[in-house]
Every structure is written in C-alpha cells, then in structure tokens.
Amino acid sequence: MDMLQAGAASTTPLACVHAHGHWRGAGTGNHVIPFSPAPLAHDVPSRFPSPFDRAAVHPLARRAAVELIALLQSPAAATWGLQDAVGGKMFGVLVAEAPDGTLGYLRAFSGMLTGTWTLDGWAPPAFDVASRDAIWIPGEAEMLRFTADLETCANDPARLTGDMAHQRLDDARAARSRELMPLIQATYRLCDATGAVRSLHEIFAPAKPPAGAGDCAAPKLLAAAYRHGLRPLALAEFWWGAPPRSGDRRAGSFYPACHGKCGPILAHMLRGLPADPPPLFGAARFPLTEPAVVFEDAQLVIVDKPSGMLSVPGRSGLLQDSVSTRLRARHPQSTGQLVVHRLDLDTSGLLLAAKDPVTFSALQRLFSLREVEKRYVAWLDGDVAGDAGMIEIPLRTDIDDRPRQIHDAVHGKAAVTAWHVLDRRDGRTKVALHPHTGRTHQLRVHAAHPSGLNAPIVGDRLYGRAAPREGERLMLHAELLSFEHPVTGARLRVESAAPF
C-alpha cells in the first residue's frame, strides 16, 4: 500500500470563523486531532500541495493518514461495514495550524458513513444541517410515498392500467426529485481563505452542480477548518475497505481530488492560500527529432511516440505540442487529419498517421473492423495469477473524474484484451497485451481491475497502487502494428522494442 511506505505559514486572514483555534481532542468542539510528538518547524509545508496531484502528498498528511488507517483497522470500526462487498469509502485528512501555531489534523469521510452524515470526532458535512433537514426530511417522506405507490402499481392485476399509472408516478417522482435537488444544493455555502462565500450554483455556473457535489472529504475538511479559524496546510484523500463496483479503488492508496465534483469547489475554497497549481500533464519538452520515424511511404507514416508526448493537441492553449502538430510541421502539404489512432499521454510506442484524407479513412476503417493487429508490452506491479487469458470488462468514462475509466456492467462498452506472461521478477510481471477493442485506458484498467489481472501497470498515476516514483514512467509500450496497406495491399508489420 503506497501510503504505508513510507516552513513558515502564510499570514493570509481566515474568515468564516465560528470558533477560534483551541486544540481539543477528537470527538469534541472542532474535531482536531493533535500530532504527538509535535512536528518540527521545518516539517511544515510553506505552500498547500495541490489536492489534484497524487504525487504531492505531504509527509505530515501521510502521517495523519496512517494514524487514521490505524483507527479504520481497529475493533471500533469493525461495525462500519467497510470490508463488506462494495463497502469501502474515500477518507481524507487535513493538516491544519491553529492561531497559536499548534499543528494537528482533521479527518472526514465522503458522503455518509453508517447511514449518517455526522459522527463524533469527524468533520461535519459542508451544508447547513438545519436548512437541509427542513428540505430533505419532508422530501424523503415524499420519495418514500412515491416508492410505495409505484410498488402498488407494479402489483396491479389490471396490467395495462397499472403500467400507465406506474409511468405517470415515475415521471412525477423524477420531476419532484429535480425540484428538490437545487433546494438541497442551496444549503451549501462554501468559504475560501479570504472569507468569500459562494453557493454551489455560483461555483458551477453556468453549469448545474452535479449530484453529490460538496460531499467529498476535501470540501468537508476545508469548510471545517475555516469554521474554526484553522489554517489548512496539506490534504490527502485515500480509499479504505472493499473496492467499489467499478473496481477502480484500492485500499490504502492515495487518490487526487476528482475533477468533476471537486475541481470547481476546491478552486474556490483554496483561494487566499499559498497553494501549488494542479499538475499540467503533457507540457514536457522534447527534441525536434521526436517522434522518431519507424516507417514511411507516400501514403502513411508510423512513428515511435515517447512517453509524455500528446498524440493530438490538448484542450489547454498550453498543450499544443503533440505528435499531430509535429507531423503537420514536417508534412505541410498533407491535408485532413493525420493521426489515425491515439496512445495515452504516458504510453510510448508505435503510432500510425496518414498523409491524405483517403488513406486516413481507409486506415480508420481497418481499425473499426478490428483488422489492425496491435501488441503492447507492460510491467505490472504484482505477481499475476496464471500465464495467459482473456479479459472482458466493459468500460465507460467516470463522468465525475475524467479522463478516468471505470467498469460498468450495464452502461459500459465492450472491452476485450488477450494477454500472456513474458517474465516474472521482483514482485512484478511482464506481460504482452493484445487489445481486441480500443477503449480509452482499456489496458490500464484491465491490468488494475480485481476482475482483470489485479496488478496495475507500474508507474500508472491513475490506476496504480502509488504515485509514480521520481523519474518513473508508465511501463506500457505499443511494440507492434500489423495491417494490410490500404494502397499496395501488402501486409505491413512494424515493431519497436520497449525501452524498459
């Protein structure tokens, strides 16, 4: 488990203060847990590490997380059901400083725990409890009445009449739920370090706040710190317990804050703090000789993309350098799109591009008909059971945390990967991967998922057990492309040895 491996504060004024920084034991007052022994002055971060950078977990936040894990493993937590099927949960810790300079931390859980929003010793929810109860208690009673009426309709012997009434009730329940949601969201009034307070609707405008916004551990922790006049210093969020149905969380692993729900909220709540910006992946600089050409003729070109280079430009204006833009500069006479398929930013290996629209369409057709043979090689973090097999785990985008992909047996798209072991060494397994479909992050999820190989690719910052070590890349390389040339008809087979 990655979390078990083992300056001066800013004078920015804090507002939203309901009680000032007296340290008390967990379970009372401001829910702050003091460090013992107290950290030394040089152990304190001078800037708040970005909560969106998995590699930026500060040692004090790691220390607080390890202490919280000890609690989660204790008999007192055994009744919380965290080890039950899909019973795990995200937890968080926030290192904070009192006005007198004393250091401690707060702890929080995402959403509800044991069916309640509030537990003694934990940061409370970020909403106003009385205001929410005034809306939700009668609203929940309404929803329960709808459910009871729907069950009655489902059991109606007059099937046609029952089905019509069932549909009307179902539509009415959905409409009422849509009415209640903005009322409940209005009970969240979130503060930043300067004292500026904004509602969820103001934070997400012009879009609507997603369901569950404000209920993750990070917003709860920052809201609690500001309420009690504490200065946030470092944050860490981790998963504990059984994996979720999507299979994309591992007990003891740190995870960055999600972008969909927490991105806009934390951007607001961290204003006024000296905080590091979120990491910008894809901005690495490469020599003009990259990507190196492996094969080229009049119609197409195959290059060896280095890890860290984008296949196509990113949405940010800072992320325009890519294989596509570099090939465009090399072949200014080429028209239409160039890159026929994509490799993940962190994946290296063979990438195919067309020099004209006709060739582009022909190559895309080969991909859509699955007539392009692709082989990848990867080192996995773990000892894989078995020597070969087939993985079939349907995938879809995690709408709350793009670009992550998750397993969804109902709404996911089919994703199939064949694999076989090449080598085993030092607790790691080298495998060849043959994707039969081309879903985003397919190989990475299929490697990491408990129903797949249950061993994430080494260096995987999205699905791995730990943040990549300094200088360690994603150990995934596209080493073979083979297909029928769309013009000559000859079978083309190009290989590139993995650099690891």
Side-chain angles (χ1 to χ4, degrees), residues 32-43:
V32 174
I33 303 164
F35 283 114
S36 181
L40 300 176
H42 66 261
D43 294 328

Side-chain angles (χ1 to χ4, degrees), residues 22-61:
H22 302 292
W23 292 109
R24 310 171 194 172
T28 64
N30 55 21
H31 311 294
V32 174
I33 303 164
F35 283 114
S36 181
L40 300 176
H42 66 261
D43 294 328
V44 180
S46 59
R47 295 179 60 82
F48 194 94
S50 171
F52 301 100
D53 187 353
R54 190 180 184 185
V57 177
H58 190 271
L60 283 181

Side-chain angles (χ1 to χ4, degrees), residues 372-376 416-418 433-438 442-443:
V372 177
E373 180 187 356
K374 295 174 287 183
R375 186 178 73 232
Y376 294 72
V416 182
T417 304
L433 301 166
H434 302 262
H436 291 195
T437 52
Q442 174 177 319
L443 301 182

